[in-house]
Amino acid sequence: MAVSGTHTTPNANLSHLNGSGRELYYIKGSIDALLPRCKFYHVAEGSTPLLDQKMRSGIAGKAQAASSRGLRVLAMAYGNADAIGPSRPSSPMPNNTTDYIDKDKSAHLVFAGFVAMYDPPRKGVADAVAHLQRGGVQVIRITGDGEETALSIAKSLGLRGASNPNACLTGTALDRMTSVQLSERVGNVSVFARVSPKHKMAIVEAFQSRGAVVAMTGDGGKFFFFLNSLSIYVLVAHGCDECAVNDAPALKMADIGVSMGKSGTDVAKEAADVILVDDNFSTILPAVEEGEFSSRNSITDLSCSLTCSSF
């Protein structure tokens, strides 16, 4: 996301960027996307030294250390209009701001710092995950977080396979894969990181190609389920209201679309087949248990009927 503005009063710290009333952009986004686009870093008023390789490595190391503790890292930078491509949208910009930044002109960006935030899973999620996995359900997390953060949270939830070397698949890796390659790969993935709504549709399609019946939920704190006769995959994801709107196609694409009752957007609710009225992941557990109980009863009744009718 970015906002723009023009300083009407002299500011020595911004003189090399702002010139005479030029428009400035203040940008936030993933540190992986913003840091390579910065040439300077902010120290104090009037002090923006060159961002050399030693400082870059130090910043990246600090950010990685925060991510490995399960913190969400958000970088911030600023620069003049020369750092933005010619087709930039009006302010404020959408979340994928870096798509609009001209990489060839990004030398004017000044790295302002990063924040590390802790956004823990909802109460009861870890217990529900444990119960689901004991019942033969494979839980997988899908998120826009960075790889280190995503894996750390997955491990804290006790996701099976999260400690494996190849447990995480990023959106960048997804972009390089064909549909066949993704279908072969998803069975060994516990975490999908840095994904977009289009990636979620590709993931749904990949599991469906493996014979799975897919149930997907949307709305911010989202969950994705992939079920077949042999196993059940539950994919836990996190996003925002904008993502929830963009998830509507994937909700429609899934065999069963699930939306949140309280925080769910109208778009997601209309696209969904099932609504969780309490917005609680733990509700999934009794729902799965009831479904399995009903399924077993139906099979038993059918078997009895066929056996009796044979005489």
Side-chain angles (χ1 to χ4, degrees):
M1 180 178 178
V3 294
S4 64
T6 302
H7 288 264
T8 57
T9 57
N11 190 322
N13 184 48
L14 303 175
S15 60
H16 66 293
L17 294 172
N18 205 26
S20 178
R22 295 183 67 185
E23 190 175 24
L24 281 178
Y25 285 85
Y26 301 88
I27 307 164
K28 68 178 179 70
S30 71
I31 194 165
D32 296 338
L34 277 185
L35 188 58
R37 291 172 166 86
C38 295
K39 188 175 183 180
F40 308 98
Y41 66 98
H42 181 91
V43 174
E45 288 291 327
S47 178
T48 54
L50 184 70
L51 184 59
D52 57 19
Q53 188 57 46
K54 181 179 179 180
M55 180 58 67
R56 287 181 188 274
S57 299
I59 293 171
K62 293 288 186 181
Q64 185 175 10
S67 296
S68 64
R69 292 159 47 203
L71 302 179
R72 291 180 175 175
V73 176
L74 189 65
M76 293 167 287
Y78 61 89
N80 61 25
D82 290 336
I84 309 296
S87 61
R88 62 184 182 275
S90 58
S91 175
M93 294 183 188
N95 289 335
N96 57 339
T97 305
T98 51
D99 291 346
Y100 297 93
I101 297 177
D102 191 332
K103 296 180 181 179
D104 295 331
K105 298 180 179 180
S106 61
H108 293 283
L109 287 181
V110 178
F111 182 78
F114 69 82
V115 294
M117 302 166 287
Y118 181 52
D119 184 14
R122 292 181 181 179
K123 184 178 180 180
V125 171
D127 291 337
V129 167
H131 280 88
L132 287 168
Q133 291 184 150
R134 282 198 295 269
V137 178
Q138 179 65 35
V139 183
I140 301 172
R141 186 169 188 259
I142 300 181
T143 178
D145 292 338
E147 183 174 354
E148 292 285 342
T149 303
L151 281 171
S152 177
I153 294 176
K155 292 174 183 176
S156 71
L157 289 173
L159 297 193
R160 191 174 297 156
S163 299
N164 295 338
N166 299 318
C168 185
L169 196 61
T170 64
T172 302
L174 287 171
D175 288 334
R176 295 195 297 263
M177 288 183 171
T178 65
S179 57
V180 175
Q181 290 173 328
L182 178 57
S183 179
E184 295 174 349
R185 181 78 169 81
V186 291
N188 298 319
V189 177
S190 298
V191 180
F192 291 90
R194 290 279 185 235
V195 298
S196 66
K198 70 173 184 178
H199 292 139
K200 293 167 188 174
M201 293 184 68
I203 295 169
V204 170
E205 185 178 14
F207 275 94
Q208 287 177 329
S209 69
R210 296 168 64 93
V213 176
V214 180
M216 166 189 166
T217 79
D219 301 331
K222 296 179 287 295
F223 309 96
F224 296 70
F225 308 80
F226 300 86
L227 306 89
N228 60 28
S229 59
L230 298 178
S231 59
I232 304 175
Y233 297 84
V234 182
L235 285 79
V236 185
H238 296 79
C240 56
D241 289 340
E242 180 184 351
C243 294
V245 173
N246 293 333
D247 280 341
L251 284 170
K252 279 289 188 184
M253 183 179 182
D255 299 292
I256 305 171
V258 184
S259 177
M260 301 295 130
K262 294 179 181 178
S263 61
T265 62
D266 291 337
V267 174
K269 288 179 182 178
E270 290 178 6
D273 302 294
V274 178
I275 298 176
L276 295 178
V277 295
D278 59 359
D279 287 14
N280 194 341
F281 178 71
S282 301
T283 304
I284 297 166
L285 179 59
V288 172
E289 291 174 341
E290 289 291 335
E292 290 180 337
F293 180 74
S294 298
S295 177
R296 286 196 299 268
N297 283 347
S298 297
I299 293 173
T300 301
D301 291 341
L302 181 61
S303 297
C304 291
S305 298
L306 291 175
T307 302
C308 294
S309 63
S310 65
F311 290 98

